[in-house]
Amino acid sequence: MADKIKKIAVLTSGGDSPGMNAAIRSVVRTCAYMKLECIAIYRGYQGMIEGDFKEMNARSVNNIINKGGTILKSARCEEFRTPEGRQKAHAQLLKNNIDGLVVIGGNGSFTGALKLNDEFNFPVIGIPGTIDNDILGTTYTLGFDTAINTVVDAIDKIRDTASSHNRLFFVEVMGRDVGHIALNAGVGAGAEEILIPEQNLGLDRLLDSLKRSKASGKSSSIVIVAEGDKTGKNVFELKEYVEEHLPIYDVRVSVLGHMQRGGNPTCFDRVLASRMGVKAVESLIEGKSNYMVGIRDNQLILTPISEAIKAHTAIDEELVRVSDIMST
Ligand code: ATP
Protein backbone atom coordinates (compact mmCIF):
# COMPACT_ATOMS: atom_id res chain seq x y z
CA MET A 1 0.00 0.00 0.00
CA ALA A 2 2.76 2.40 1.02
CA ASP A 3 4.22 2.73 -2.50
CA LYS A 4 0.83 3.09 -4.16
CA ILE A 5 0.45 6.79 -3.42
CA LYS A 6 2.35 8.86 -5.98
CA LYS A 7 0.09 11.83 -6.51
CA ILE A 8 -1.96 13.67 -3.92
CA ALA A 9 -4.61 16.33 -4.48
CA VAL A 10 -5.67 18.99 -1.99
CA LEU A 11 -8.77 21.18 -1.89
CA THR A 12 -10.55 23.60 0.42
CA SER A 13 -14.32 23.44 0.74
CA GLY A 14 -17.20 25.02 2.65
CA GLY A 15 -16.62 28.21 4.63
CA ASP A 16 -13.07 29.55 4.56
CA SER A 17 -11.07 29.93 7.75
CA PRO A 18 -7.71 31.47 8.63
CA GLY A 19 -5.01 28.81 8.50
CA MET A 20 -6.34 27.07 5.38
CA ASN A 21 -3.50 28.55 3.31
CA ALA A 22 -0.94 27.38 5.84
CA ALA A 23 -2.45 23.89 5.59
CA ILE A 24 -2.35 23.94 1.76
CA ARG A 25 1.29 25.02 1.97
CA SER A 26 2.03 22.20 4.35
CA VAL A 27 0.40 19.55 2.14
CA VAL A 28 2.23 20.82 -0.96
CA ARG A 29 5.61 21.05 0.77
CA THR A 30 5.24 17.66 2.43
CA CYS A 31 4.51 16.14 -0.98
CA ALA A 32 7.62 17.85 -2.37
CA TYR A 33 9.69 16.57 0.57
CA MET A 34 8.35 13.03 0.09
CA LYS A 35 8.92 13.24 -3.69
CA LEU A 36 5.20 12.94 -4.45
CA GLU A 37 3.36 14.89 -7.08
CA CYS A 38 0.81 17.35 -5.76
CA ILE A 39 -2.27 18.76 -7.47
CA ALA A 40 -4.30 21.71 -6.25
CA ILE A 41 -8.03 21.51 -6.91
CA TYR A 42 -9.63 24.95 -7.14
CA ARG A 43 -13.15 25.80 -5.86
CA GLY A 44 -13.66 22.67 -3.79
CA TYR A 45 -15.85 19.90 -5.18
CA GLN A 46 -17.09 22.18 -7.97
CA GLY A 47 -13.55 22.43 -9.29
CA MET A 48 -13.13 18.69 -8.90
CA ILE A 49 -16.14 18.05 -11.13
CA GLU A 50 -14.93 20.60 -13.67
CA GLY A 51 -11.28 19.48 -13.61
CA ASP A 52 -10.02 22.82 -12.31
CA PHE A 53 -6.64 21.35 -11.33
CA LYS A 54 -3.13 22.75 -11.15
CA GLU A 55 0.21 21.08 -10.53
CA MET A 56 1.95 22.43 -7.47
CA ASN A 57 5.54 22.47 -6.33
CA ALA A 58 7.22 23.76 -3.20
CA ARG A 59 7.51 27.26 -4.71
CA SER A 60 3.81 27.44 -5.65
CA VAL A 61 2.99 28.12 -2.02
CA ASN A 62 5.51 30.85 -1.28
CA ASN A 63 4.25 33.73 0.87
CA ILE A 64 0.86 32.31 1.77
CA ILE A 65 1.43 31.08 5.34
CA ASN A 66 0.45 34.51 6.67
CA LYS A 67 -2.67 35.00 4.54
CA GLY A 68 -6.29 34.48 5.56
CA GLY A 69 -8.88 32.89 3.25
CA THR A 70 -7.80 30.23 0.78
CA ILE A 71 -5.76 30.65 -2.40
CA LEU A 72 -7.58 27.60 -3.79
CA LYS A 73 -10.94 29.36 -3.33
CA SER A 74 -13.84 27.60 -1.76
CA ALA A 75 -17.29 26.78 -3.08
CA ARG A 76 -20.53 25.14 -2.09
CA CYS A 77 -21.29 22.53 -4.75
CA GLU A 78 -24.81 21.10 -5.02
CA GLU A 79 -23.87 18.74 -7.84
CA PHE A 80 -21.41 16.89 -5.61
CA ARG A 81 -24.31 15.94 -3.34
CA THR A 82 -25.63 13.73 -6.17
CA PRO A 83 -24.16 10.33 -7.18
CA GLU A 84 -23.83 11.64 -10.75
CA GLY A 85 -21.82 14.64 -9.58
CA ARG A 86 -19.49 12.46 -7.54
CA GLN A 87 -19.11 10.12 -10.52
CA LYS A 88 -17.89 13.05 -12.62
CA ALA A 89 -15.56 14.17 -9.83
CA HIS A 90 -14.10 10.69 -9.48
CA ALA A 91 -13.57 10.45 -13.24
CA GLN A 92 -11.51 13.67 -13.07
CA LEU A 93 -9.39 12.25 -10.25
CA LEU A 94 -8.71 9.11 -12.30
CA LYS A 95 -8.00 11.07 -15.48
CA ASN A 96 -5.35 13.02 -13.58
CA ASN A 97 -3.85 9.87 -11.98
CA ILE A 98 -4.54 11.13 -8.47
CA ASP A 99 -4.13 8.47 -5.76
CA GLY A 100 -5.27 10.29 -2.64
CA LEU A 101 -7.11 13.43 -1.54
CA VAL A 102 -6.71 15.87 1.36
CA VAL A 103 -9.92 17.79 2.10
CA ILE A 104 -9.63 20.93 4.21
CA GLY A 105 -13.09 21.95 5.39
CA GLY A 106 -15.93 21.35 7.81
CA ASN A 107 -18.58 18.70 8.44
CA GLY A 108 -20.26 18.99 5.04
CA SER A 109 -16.98 18.72 3.17
CA PHE A 110 -16.06 15.65 5.21
CA THR A 111 -19.43 14.03 4.46
CA GLY A 112 -18.70 14.53 0.76
CA ALA A 113 -15.22 13.02 1.18
CA LEU A 114 -16.67 10.02 2.96
CA LYS A 115 -19.13 9.42 0.13
CA LEU A 116 -16.33 9.61 -2.42
CA ASN A 117 -14.55 6.92 -0.45
CA ASP A 118 -17.65 4.76 0.06
CA GLU A 119 -18.60 4.81 -3.59
CA PHE A 120 -15.18 4.57 -5.26
CA ASN A 121 -12.87 3.39 -2.49
CA PHE A 122 -10.89 6.59 -3.03
CA PRO A 123 -8.40 7.40 -0.21
CA VAL A 124 -9.32 10.60 1.67
CA ILE A 125 -7.97 12.39 4.73
CA GLY A 126 -9.62 15.46 6.28
CA ILE A 127 -8.16 18.54 7.95
CA PRO A 128 -10.72 20.46 10.05
CA GLY A 129 -10.89 24.04 8.81
CA THR A 130 -13.61 26.10 10.47
CA ILE A 131 -13.63 28.97 12.94
CA ASP A 132 -16.52 27.39 14.89
CA ASN A 133 -14.41 24.69 16.59
CA ASP A 134 -17.40 22.35 16.40
CA ILE A 135 -15.83 19.18 15.00
CA LEU A 136 -15.46 16.06 17.15
CA GLY A 137 -11.99 14.54 17.30
CA THR A 138 -9.96 17.70 17.76
CA THR A 139 -9.57 20.20 20.57
CA TYR A 140 -8.91 22.92 17.99
CA THR A 141 -10.02 23.41 14.41
CA LEU A 142 -8.00 25.59 12.05
CA GLY A 143 -9.06 29.20 12.32
CA PHE A 144 -10.65 29.07 15.76
CA ASP A 145 -7.68 30.63 17.54
CA THR A 146 -7.47 33.43 14.98
CA ALA A 147 -11.21 34.05 15.23
CA ILE A 148 -11.26 34.33 19.02
CA ASN A 149 -8.30 36.71 18.91
CA THR A 150 -10.12 38.82 16.32
CA VAL A 151 -13.21 38.90 18.55
CA VAL A 152 -11.21 39.79 21.66
CA ASP A 153 -9.51 42.60 19.77
CA ALA A 154 -12.89 43.95 18.58
CA ILE A 155 -14.40 43.75 22.07
CA ASP A 156 -11.42 45.55 23.59
CA LYS A 157 -12.20 48.42 21.23
CA ILE A 158 -15.92 48.31 21.97
CA ARG A 159 -15.12 48.37 25.68
CA ASP A 160 -13.31 51.68 25.25
CA THR A 161 -16.45 53.34 23.97
CA ALA A 162 -18.73 51.40 26.35
CA SER A 163 -16.85 52.67 29.38
CA SER A 164 -16.55 56.22 28.06
CA HIS A 165 -20.35 56.47 27.76
CA ASN A 166 -21.47 54.12 30.55
CA ARG A 167 -23.16 51.88 28.03
CA LEU A 168 -24.24 48.30 27.79
CA PHE A 169 -23.19 46.56 24.58
CA PHE A 170 -24.64 43.39 23.13
CA VAL A 171 -21.99 41.92 20.85
CA GLU A 172 -23.07 39.12 18.51
CA VAL A 173 -20.39 36.66 17.50
CA MET A 174 -20.32 33.71 15.07
CA GLY A 175 -20.33 30.04 15.94
CA ARG A 176 -23.51 28.70 14.37
CA ASP A 177 -25.02 26.08 16.72
CA VAL A 178 -22.16 26.12 19.22
CA GLY A 179 -20.85 28.66 21.70
CA HIS A 180 -17.09 28.04 21.61
CA ILE A 181 -16.20 31.39 20.07
CA ALA A 182 -18.55 33.26 22.42
CA LEU A 183 -17.34 31.51 25.55
CA ASN A 184 -13.61 31.66 24.86
CA ALA A 185 -13.58 35.20 23.51
CA GLY A 186 -16.03 36.26 26.22
CA VAL A 187 -13.74 35.06 29.01
CA GLY A 188 -10.71 36.49 27.21
CA ALA A 189 -12.35 39.88 26.77
CA GLY A 190 -13.86 40.01 30.27
CA ALA A 191 -17.53 39.99 29.22
CA GLU A 192 -20.13 40.35 31.97
CA GLU A 193 -22.46 37.77 30.47
CA ILE A 194 -22.05 35.21 27.70
CA LEU A 195 -25.15 33.78 26.03
CA ILE A 196 -24.43 30.46 24.33
CA PRO A 197 -26.72 27.86 22.71
CA GLU A 198 -25.55 25.11 25.07
CA GLN A 199 -26.90 26.97 28.11
CA ASN A 200 -30.21 28.77 27.98
CA LEU A 201 -30.20 30.66 31.26
CA GLY A 202 -33.25 32.67 30.36
CA LEU A 203 -33.90 36.38 30.16
CA ASP A 204 -34.61 36.76 33.90
CA ARG A 205 -31.12 35.66 34.74
CA LEU A 206 -29.75 38.19 32.23
CA LEU A 207 -31.74 41.02 33.85
CA ASP A 208 -30.69 39.89 37.34
CA SER A 209 -27.09 39.79 36.32
CA LEU A 210 -27.25 43.26 34.78
CA LYS A 211 -28.98 44.63 37.89
CA ARG A 212 -26.30 43.12 40.11
CA SER A 213 -23.63 44.47 37.85
CA LYS A 214 -25.04 48.01 38.11
CA ALA A 215 -25.51 47.69 41.89
CA SER A 216 -21.92 46.54 42.33
CA GLY A 217 -20.67 49.74 40.79
CA LYS A 218 -19.95 48.69 37.20
CA SER A 219 -20.65 51.56 34.87
CA SER A 220 -20.45 49.70 31.57
CA SER A 221 -21.09 46.14 30.49
CA ILE A 222 -20.38 43.84 27.58
CA VAL A 223 -22.70 40.89 26.89
CA ILE A 224 -21.51 38.41 24.25
CA VAL A 225 -24.28 36.67 22.34
CA ALA A 226 -23.49 33.59 20.24
CA GLU A 227 -25.39 33.70 16.96
CA GLY A 228 -27.06 30.38 17.81
CA ASP A 229 -28.13 31.31 21.33
CA LYS A 230 -31.48 30.04 22.55
CA THR A 231 -33.03 33.03 24.29
CA GLY A 232 -35.39 33.32 21.34
CA LYS A 233 -34.33 36.92 20.74
CA ASN A 234 -31.70 38.31 18.43
CA VAL A 235 -29.32 41.02 19.66
CA PHE A 236 -31.59 43.84 18.52
CA GLU A 237 -34.58 42.30 20.31
CA LEU A 238 -32.40 41.78 23.40
CA LYS A 239 -31.54 45.48 23.33
CA GLU A 240 -35.23 46.42 23.23
CA TYR A 241 -36.04 43.94 25.98
CA VAL A 242 -33.37 45.27 28.32
CA GLU A 243 -34.22 48.90 27.59
CA GLU A 244 -37.85 48.16 28.41
CA HIS A 245 -37.12 46.28 31.65
CA LEU A 246 -34.00 48.13 32.79
CA PRO A 247 -34.30 51.72 31.54
CA ILE A 248 -31.20 52.66 33.55
CA TYR A 249 -29.15 51.16 30.74
CA ASP A 250 -28.14 52.92 27.53
CA VAL A 251 -27.87 49.92 25.22
CA ARG A 252 -25.98 49.49 21.93
CA VAL A 253 -25.56 46.54 19.60
CA SER A 254 -22.58 45.38 17.57
CA VAL A 255 -22.74 42.42 15.17
CA LEU A 256 -19.17 41.47 14.36
CA GLY A 257 -20.07 39.39 11.28
CA HIS A 258 -17.66 38.15 8.66
CA MET A 259 -14.63 40.03 9.94
CA GLN A 260 -14.35 37.04 12.32
CA ARG A 261 -13.57 34.72 9.42
CA GLY A 262 -10.82 36.84 7.90
CA GLY A 263 -7.41 38.13 8.79
CA ASN A 264 -3.91 36.76 9.10
CA PRO A 265 -3.83 33.48 11.01
CA THR A 266 -2.29 33.52 14.47
CA CYS A 267 0.98 31.71 15.06
CA PHE A 268 -1.02 28.96 16.78
CA ASP A 269 -3.14 28.34 13.67
CA ARG A 270 -0.10 28.45 11.36
CA VAL A 271 1.76 25.87 13.45
CA LEU A 272 -1.35 23.69 13.77
CA ALA A 273 -1.93 23.85 10.00
CA SER A 274 1.69 22.95 9.28
CA ARG A 275 1.51 19.96 11.61
CA MET A 276 -1.85 18.76 10.29
CA GLY A 277 -0.72 19.00 6.66
CA VAL A 278 2.31 16.79 7.32
CA LYS A 279 0.17 14.28 9.19
CA ALA A 280 -2.44 14.17 6.42
CA VAL A 281 0.10 13.37 3.69
CA GLU A 282 1.94 10.85 5.88
CA SER A 283 -1.36 9.13 6.67
CA LEU A 284 -2.19 8.72 2.99
CA ILE A 285 1.30 7.34 2.34
CA GLU A 286 0.77 4.84 5.17
CA GLY A 287 -2.35 3.62 3.40
CA LYS A 288 -4.81 5.24 5.81
CA SER A 289 -8.10 6.62 4.59
CA ASN A 290 -11.35 8.06 5.94
CA TYR A 291 -9.66 9.78 8.88
CA MET A 292 -9.61 13.34 10.05
CA VAL A 293 -6.43 14.77 11.54
CA GLY A 294 -7.02 16.38 14.92
CA ILE A 295 -5.07 17.53 17.95
CA ARG A 296 -5.53 16.51 21.57
CA ASP A 297 -3.11 17.14 24.46
CA ASN A 298 -0.78 18.64 21.84
CA GLN A 299 -0.57 15.26 20.05
CA LEU A 300 -1.85 14.82 16.51
CA ILE A 301 -4.49 12.12 16.38
CA LEU A 302 -6.62 10.47 13.70
CA THR A 303 -10.38 10.10 14.14
CA PRO A 304 -12.59 8.24 11.66
CA ILE A 305 -14.40 10.89 9.63
CA SER A 306 -17.63 9.00 10.30
CA GLU A 307 -17.13 9.78 14.03
CA ALA A 308 -15.99 13.36 13.50
CA ILE A 309 -19.16 14.32 11.65
CA LYS A 310 -21.55 12.66 14.09
CA ALA A 311 -21.94 15.48 16.58
CA HIS A 312 -20.61 18.83 17.73
CA THR A 313 -17.97 19.11 20.43
CA ALA A 314 -19.37 19.82 23.88
CA ILE A 315 -18.85 23.15 25.58
CA ASP A 316 -16.09 23.37 28.17
CA GLU A 317 -18.02 23.32 31.48
CA GLU A 318 -14.99 24.40 33.46
CA LEU A 319 -14.73 27.51 31.32
CA VAL A 320 -18.43 28.20 31.85
CA ARG A 321 -17.78 28.11 35.60
CA VAL A 322 -14.77 30.40 35.26
CA SER A 323 -16.87 32.82 33.26
CA ASP A 324 -19.57 32.82 35.98
CA ILE A 325 -16.98 33.52 38.67
CA MET A 326 -15.30 36.26 36.63
CA SER A 327 -18.55 38.16 36.16
CA THR A 328 -18.90 38.66 39.93
P1 ATP B 1 -18.60 25.06 7.05
O1 ATP B 1 -18.34 24.47 8.42
O2 ATP B 1 -17.90 26.31 6.84
O3 ATP B 1 -20.06 25.14 6.68
P2 ATP B 1 -18.63 22.71 5.51
O4 ATP B 1 -17.57 21.86 4.93
O5 ATP B 1 -19.50 22.05 6.56
O6 ATP B 1 -17.95 24.01 6.04
P3 ATP B 1 -20.84 22.73 3.64
O7 ATP B 1 -21.36 23.86 2.82
O8 ATP B 1 -21.77 22.04 4.56
O9 ATP B 1 -19.55 23.31 4.36
O10 ATP B 1 -20.25 21.62 2.63
C1 ATP B 1 -19.31 21.95 1.64
C2 ATP B 1 -19.55 21.13 0.41
O11 ATP B 1 -19.40 19.73 0.74
C3 ATP B 1 -20.96 21.23 -0.16
O12 ATP B 1 -21.11 22.35 -0.98
C4 ATP B 1 -21.06 19.94 -0.94
O13 ATP B 1 -20.39 20.07 -2.18
C5 ATP B 1 -20.29 18.97 -0.07
N1 ATP B 1 -21.26 18.26 0.78
C6 ATP B 1 -21.84 18.68 1.91
N2 ATP B 1 -22.71 17.77 2.40
C7 ATP B 1 -22.68 16.73 1.53
C8 ATP B 1 -23.37 15.48 1.44
N3 ATP B 1 -24.26 15.12 2.36
N4 ATP B 1 -23.06 14.67 0.41
C9 ATP B 1 -22.14 15.02 -0.52
N5 ATP B 1 -21.49 16.19 -0.50
C10 ATP B 1 -21.74 17.05 0.49
Side-chain angles (χ1 to χ4, degrees):
M1 195 72 177
D3 57 356
K4 263 182 83 176
I5 298 278
K6 295 195 178 66
K7 201 172 193 179
I8 286 177
V10 57
L11 62 78
T12 50
S13 168
D16 64 303
S17 70
M20 279 185 163
N21 280 328
I24 295 164
R25 172 180 180 269
S26 173
V27 170
V28 171
R29 294 240 165 122
T30 308
C31 285
Y33 182 85
M34 304 283 186
K35 309 263 183 283
L36 303 179
E37 288 179 72
C38 188
I39 295 288
I41 301 179
Y42 284 80
R43 296 178 294 118
Y45 294 122
Q46 191 65 44
M48 191 186 282
I49 289 172
E50 294 171 14
D52 194 357
F53 296 1
K54 186 182 161 198
E55 272 183 43
M56 304 293 270
N57 61 44
R59 297 285 72 77
S60 317
V61 286
N62 285 349
N63 301 320
I64 64 166
I65 193 169
N66 55 325
K67 297 209 162 65
T70 159
I71 58 158
L72 300 186
K73 312 287 181 190
S74 193
R76 314 251 183 210
C77 173
E78 285 311 307
E79 197 179 354
F80 195 77
R81 292 175 186 272
T82 67
E84 298 74 29
R86 293 193 291 276
Q87 176 77 54
K88 284 189 206 166
H90 180 244
Q92 291 286 5
L93 293 174
L94 289 191
K95 193 172 132 194
N96 287 274
N97 300 315
I98 293 165
D99 306 310
L101 174 68
V102 178
V103 172
I104 307 169
N107 273 321
S109 307
F110 290 166
T111 307
L114 212 52
K115 290 194 175 171
L116 193 68
N117 181 273
D118 282 351
E119 291 164 11
F120 307 102
N121 199 24
F122 199 86
V124 293
I125 294 284
I127 293 180
T130 166
I131 63 168
D132 300 332
N133 210 32
D134 58 350
I135 299 183
L136 275 186
T138 190
T139 311
Y140 300 107
T141 56
L142 282 186
F144 174 65
D145 185 67
T146 304
I148 55 177
N149 278 290
T150 301
V151 172
V152 164
D153 190 43
I155 295 172
D156 285 349
K157 293 185 169 103
I158 289 170
R159 183 178 291 285
D160 288 345
T161 181
S163 57
S164 302
H165 294 275
N166 293 346
R167 277 178 182 152
L168 164 64
F169 265 87
F170 283 107
V171 181
E172 187 192 276
V173 303
M174 282 183 163
R176 281 200 292 204
D177 306 326
V178 292
H180 299 296
I181 293 179
L183 181 60
N184 283 268
V187 171
E192 274 64 44
E193 273 290 332
I194 305 169
L195 307 183
I196 54 176
E198 292 84 349
Q199 253 203 335
N200 184 9
L201 301 172
L203 294 169
D204 289 346
R205 139 112 190 210
L206 175 64
L207 292 183
D208 284 349
S209 162
L210 292 173
K211 273 185 218 157
R212 262 188 286 114
S213 174
K214 201 64 156 179
S216 74
K218 283 189 189 172
S219 55
S220 65
S221 293
I222 307 275
V223 176
I224 312 284
V225 186
E227 64 181 340
D229 102 291
K230 298 278 193 298
T231 53
K233 293 190 187 297
N234 66 34
V235 268
F236 298 99
E237 290 163 346
L238 282 173
K239 165 183 155 64
E240 281 172 22
Y241 183 83
V242 169
E243 280 176 338
E244 187 185 327
H245 291 84
L246 286 178
I248 39 167
Y249 273 108
D250 178 17
V251 190
R252 293 290 186 275
V253 167
S254 179
V255 177
L256 297 187
H258 280 82
M259 67 176 292
Q260 295 163 87
R261 284 243 291 255
N264 301 344
T266 57
C267 182
F268 180 89
D269 274 330
R270 297 179 198 194
V271 172
L272 184 62
S274 303
R275 294 177 71 188
M276 286 181 163
V278 172
K279 182 77 175 172
V281 173
E282 284 179 348
S283 300
L284 283 171
I285 293 172
E286 288 163 12
K288 299 197 172 93
S289 178
N290 281 346
Y291 286 101
M292 182 198 80
V293 181
I295 188 161
R296 189 170 294 142
D297 299 329
N298 202 27
Q299 299 295 312
L300 292 181
I301 52 168
L302 294 177
T303 300
I305 291 181
S306 54
E307 290 296 314
I309 60 176
K310 255 187 197 155
H312 290 320
T313 39
I315 205 76
D316 181 345
E317 293 297 339
E318 190 247 350
L319 199 51
V320 171
R321 187 165 166 269
V322 169
S323 127
D324 287 345
I325 295 171
M326 288 305 110
S327 61
T328 299

